[in-house]
Amino acid sequence: MKLRIYTLLIAFCAAWSLHSCDNDDDDSIAVPAALQEAFSSKYPNVKNVKWETKAGYYVADFYDGYEASAWFTTDGNWHMTETDIPYTALPDPVKSAFETSEYKTWKKDDVDKLERQGIETVYVIEVENQNQEIDLYYSADGVLIKSIADTDDENSHLPTTQLSAAMKTFIEEKYAGARIVEVDVENDKSDRDYGFTEVDIIHFDSDINRNTSKEVLFDKNGEWYSTSWDVRKNELPVAVTTTISNQYAGYQIDDAEYFEMAAGTAYYLIELEGNNGTIHLIV
């Protein structure tokens, strides 16, 4: 009898504890009123919202035609919404770019739409081929921003770091008309760029007459360090291709990147493939 009473008391206390945290949307955490008001203002027609906390943010999971998660700070400031969409819902330029890419035959898994404070909307297509999984990041007009290995980390998409006014001014002046699409801070202490801020932009390059994705790197002090971007083989200067053909006969150009350094130097990083393996050149 004592054991039964003790068990009932535990159950009652557990139920009371959950009730004390109750809110309109979820029984799991207490959500500040300002935050709930901010969510309702941004998504007025959404019902059955479930709240959780991730990486220091309050995250509202809901359904608004598609499954979505909206990320807020405690003061009700919205930072990001991640929406799980079908491939068919992608903008046509994104589908066209993917279907003519080297990944077009890979299996498509998840497709996400990322809306984040201060930058443009980005679409992420997760693809896999045998044991490889890659996340492809596209702008709405179909420019491939970056491709990175998928880590299956549920927090792989996070709200962006806010750029300093000095960084924004630098980008606006050096790359007029550029659109900011990604901002990351390198947090791997083993990486030589640890603490650096990486900003991905879409910039119309008049030299090649097309929009291209460029990676602008700022050091720990917020000073510009470098800018790099992929270069197509037919866009390489004749002097570069001539040097390669003369000194590395039998090798084919696989990838090429161009680097502008704050130190005043500039170079091409070329990856060559041949019978003897892979060679990386700085030209």
Side-chain angles (χ1 to χ4, degrees):
M1 177 65 73
K2 287 181 179 179
L3 179 61
R4 290 176 60 189
I5 293 173
Y6 181 71
T7 303
L8 288 171
L9 283 172
I10 291 175
F12 175 80
C13 290
W16 181 87
S17 176
L18 285 175
H19 179 74
S20 66
C21 293
D22 189 36
N23 60 70
D24 291 341
D25 301 312
D26 190 16
D27 292 335
S28 58
I29 61 173
V31 180
L35 180 50
Q36 294 199 51
E37 290 173 7
F39 177 84
S40 297
S41 177
K42 188 168 181 65
Y43 299 100
N45 300 317
V46 171
K47 304 293 183 183
N48 300 320
V49 181
K50 301 296 181 182
W51 288 93
E52 59 183 324
T53 56
K54 289 183 181 180
Y57 293 87
Y58 280 83
V59 182
D61 298 317
F62 60 98
Y63 185 85
D64 189 19
Y66 304 113
E67 291 183 358
S69 299
W71 296 55
F72 292 82
T73 45
T74 54
D75 57 0
N77 191 11
W78 171 81
H79 283 262
M80 179 180 79
T81 298
E82 178 181 359
T83 307
D84 187 5
I85 64 173
Y87 179 80
T88 53
L90 285 169
D92 289 338
V94 177
K95 287 186 286 188
S96 296
F98 172 76
E99 289 162 9
T100 56
S101 73
E102 61 182 296
Y103 300 100
K104 62 184 178 182
T105 60
W106 289 36
K107 178 185 175 182
K108 298 186 291 292
D109 283 342
D110 291 335
V111 178
D112 292 317
K113 176 182 178 181
L114 300 181
E115 301 168 278
R116 288 170 290 185
Q117 185 186 71
I119 63 175
E120 290 201 0
T121 298
V122 170
Y123 297 87
V124 185
I125 305 174
E126 180 186 323
V127 295
E128 66 176 47
N129 183 30
Q130 297 180 351
N131 294 326
Q132 285 185 286
E133 293 186 9
I134 302 291
D135 288 342
L136 306 174
Y137 288 69
Y138 286 94
S139 64
D141 53 351
V143 176
L144 179 62
I145 301 163
K146 62 182 179 181
S147 57
I148 61 174
D150 183 85
T151 61
D152 291 325
D153 181 359
E154 64 175 9
N155 289 331
S156 59
H157 301 150
L158 292 172
T160 48
T161 301
Q162 296 302 300
L163 290 181
S164 68
M167 290 179 184
K168 288 182 180 179
T169 299
F170 174 86
I171 291 173
E172 290 168 358
E173 291 179 351
K174 187 169 179 63
Y175 305 105
R179 297 137 49 198
I180 297 173
V181 290
E182 282 286 311
V183 181
D184 291 302
V185 176
E186 179 57 62
N187 58 11
D188 185 351
K189 292 185 178 180
S190 65
D191 195 292
R192 68 178 182 87
D193 296 333
Y194 172 69
F196 282 34
T197 300
E198 174 189 312
V199 185
D200 292 304
I201 63 173
I202 302 295
H203 179 237
F204 181 79
D205 194 323
S206 57
D207 291 335
I208 55 179
N209 196 37
R210 66 178 173 89
N211 282 323
T212 188
S213 176
K214 297 183 177 182
E215 179 185 294
V216 187
L217 201 60
F218 295 92
D219 64 20
K220 295 177 183 178
N221 298 318
E223 299 293 331
W224 176 58
Y225 180 80
S226 68
T227 302
S228 61
W229 61 91
D230 290 336
V231 178
R232 296 172 182 173
K233 286 181 281 188
N234 62 354
E235 295 169 349
L236 289 168
V238 173
V240 173
T241 55
T242 300
T243 295
I244 293 171
S245 61
N246 288 342
Q247 299 185 27
Y248 295 91
Y251 283 86
Q252 300 295 321
I253 297 172
D254 189 37
D255 284 306
E257 284 185 88
Y258 184 68
F259 285 79
E260 293 180 327
M261 308 300 296
T265 57
Y267 60 87
Y268 290 92
L269 177 62
I270 311 292
E271 181 179 305
L272 301 179
E273 294 287 349
N275 293 333
N276 295 324
T278 302
I279 296 176
H280 292 90
L281 302 177
I282 290 178
V283 184

